[in-house]
Amino acid sequence: MTTSPRRDGPHVVVVGATGNIGTSVVAALAADPGVGRITGLARRVPARGLPGVDFARCDITRDDLARRVRHADAVIDLAWIFQPTHDPVTTWRNNVLGRLRLFEAVAAERVPALLYASSVGAYSPGPGRTVDEDWPTDGWPGAAYTREKAYLERCLDAFEHRGGDTRIVRFRPGFVFKAGAAAEQRRLFGGPLVPGRLVRPAAFPAFPDVPGLRFQAVHSADLAEAFRAAVRNPVRGAFNVAADPVVDPRLLAEHFGTRPVRIPARAVRAALAAAWRLHLVPASPDLFDAVLRLPLMDVSRARAELGWCPSRSGLEAVLEMLDGLRRGTGTATPQLAARTPGGRWRELTTGVGSRQ
């Protein structure tokens, strides 16, 4: 653990500080002179610290979390694992049981504010219009990720119902991208067989157009600004966070200067299911089902109450990640490293989708 110079302002503890969102959040907080001490917690801490941030090892499934959040003015909860998709008990143990331990620690220590990273995946399948934060958060029951996100929404409902002085803020972002997380996202969702160097316009004579596949995206740094604003302002409740435009295969095909080719969702799912069962890809077909059912979100509340305005479009966030994927871009944390020990061969031989 490093020791950074003390500044006046709130002490913020960021749980899950070394991932895609976490690295952006601690950077945004460190750049704000109105924020005081920043403590970053993670299972694996970076070898080199960030000015203004104290890092410490922490496993939310077993460590003394009350000690970690004691005297904090705000806790930002970002700790989440997507893998192993072949072992949902492990993801449940971290994402749900570990998080309940954190919520209990926040309540026991009477931390004034808890800011939690939920997801568009917490929402029930959507109608043919955008939804605001009152849309039901029952998720899609078939996928572990959406089940866990929906369950935690109920847990936070219970937290709020018990009363107390803790201010609870839930952010429900769309897909979160940045170049510095490209290598990790390839490992999490694409697997070792995805050839990043082929992600360039010349490699796409046609672009697959899957009916119903469309999503909202946001750059990690822009989502971090929403968290920073919620630390500094006494807001409560849920906030949708996403940037325009809605991204779909036709928009990407237009950008790459190629034509969209319709491919039935059933065929894509069958191919994905076969590859997942053979441990060739880490993303499960159930997650694909969930993505096809995501609603489109209205982000008016974040704009009005937080003054939030994204600096990049949703398309720009996607394209930055794709460029990072082509370049093999990472960040200097164990989680986001461009290269991991053993490389792609170790990913393949240790079981794609079977390990954290």
Side-chain angles (χ1 to χ4, degrees):
M1 182 171 182
T2 59
T3 301
S4 299
R6 294 296 180 91
R7 305 187 300 184
D8 293 333
H11 173 202
V12 184
V13 175
V14 182
V15 186
T18 58
N20 177 16
I21 302 173
T23 49
S24 293
V25 167
V26 295
L29 294 173
D32 186 339
V35 174
R37 181 183 172 193
I38 305 163
T39 302
L41 303 180
R43 287 186 298 115
R44 297 171 293 169
V45 299
R48 292 182 300 171
L50 180 72
V53 183
D54 296 330
F55 285 97
R57 287 184 175 83
C58 180
D59 184 336
I60 63 172
T61 66
R62 60 187 181 186
D63 288 346
D64 181 355
L65 300 180
R67 181 173 67 88
R68 293 299 193 188
V69 303
R70 191 165 295 148
H71 307 307
D73 295 296
V75 169
I76 297 179
D77 177 16
L78 308 171
W80 196 270
I81 61 173
F82 291 91
Q83 300 294 337
T85 54
H86 285 276
D87 182 10
V89 172
T90 295
T91 60
W92 182 270
R93 184 179 298 121
N94 182 90
N95 298 340
V96 176
L97 301 184
R99 188 148 278 99
L100 292 181
R101 296 181 75 244
L102 179 62
F103 294 169
E104 290 169 0
V106 166
E109 294 300 321
R110 298 183 177 181
V111 177
L114 170 64
L115 283 61
Y116 163 67
S118 185
S119 167
V120 63
Y123 281 122
S124 301
R129 57 176 176 80
T130 58
V131 303
D132 63 17
E133 290 82 359
D134 291 329
W135 188 252
T137 50
D138 297 323
W140 173 250
Y145 175 80
T146 48
R147 284 197 306 270
E148 291 162 359
K149 287 293 187 183
Y151 186 85
L152 286 165
E153 290 278 352
R154 303 290 75 74
C155 295
L156 284 173
D157 290 344
F159 191 137
E160 290 180 320
H161 184 71
R162 290 200 304 265
D165 297 326
T166 300
R167 175 173 65 92
I168 298 176
V169 181
R170 316 180 199 193
F171 283 108
R172 298 176 185 146
F175 290 51
V176 185
F177 298 118
K178 68 178 176 184
E184 183 211 25
Q185 290 179 326
R186 194 274 303 159
R187 290 191 291 267
L188 288 176
F189 304 111
L193 302 182
V194 171
R197 64 183 180 277
L198 294 182
V199 183
R200 62 184 192 278
F204 291 97
F207 202 91
D209 181 8
V210 180
L213 180 60
R214 81 284 184 275
F215 60 90
Q216 290 166 292
V218 63
H219 195 281
S220 179
D222 288 328
L223 176 57
E225 280 300 310
F227 275 99
R228 186 199 60 78
V231 168
R232 299 294 307 278
N233 296 281
V235 296
R236 294 175 179 264
F239 291 88
N240 296 335
V241 182
D244 293 329
V246 174
V247 180
D248 61 20
R250 291 182 175 271
L251 181 62
L252 291 172
E254 180 181 351
H255 172 78
F256 283 116
T258 188
R259 61 188 180 89
V261 175
R262 184 63 60 96
I263 299 178
R266 185 178 303 175
V268 174
R269 190 194 191 282
L272 179 60
W276 182 73
R277 285 194 296 268
L278 291 171
H279 293 261
L280 299 177
V281 297
S284 75
D286 298 326
L287 187 60
F288 176 74
D289 293 338
V291 169
L292 292 181
R293 291 166 174 80
L294 294 177
L296 298 177
M297 301 181 296
D298 182 337
V299 300
S300 300
R301 187 179 184 218
R303 292 179 182 273
E305 297 188 28
L306 290 173
W308 182 77
C309 184
S311 64
R312 303 163 181 84
S313 71
L315 179 60
E316 287 173 327
V318 174
L319 295 177
E320 181 181 313
M321 185 276 294
L322 292 177
D323 183 65
L325 183 62
R326 180 174 63 84
R327 297 173 182 272
T329 306
T331 299
T333 71
Q335 188 171 339
L336 301 184
R339 300 180 185 277
T340 56
R344 296 186 184 226
W345 176 249
R346 183 171 184 270
E347 290 180 52
L348 189 63
T349 57
T350 56
V352 177
S354 294
R355 65 184 183 91
Q356 290 179 242

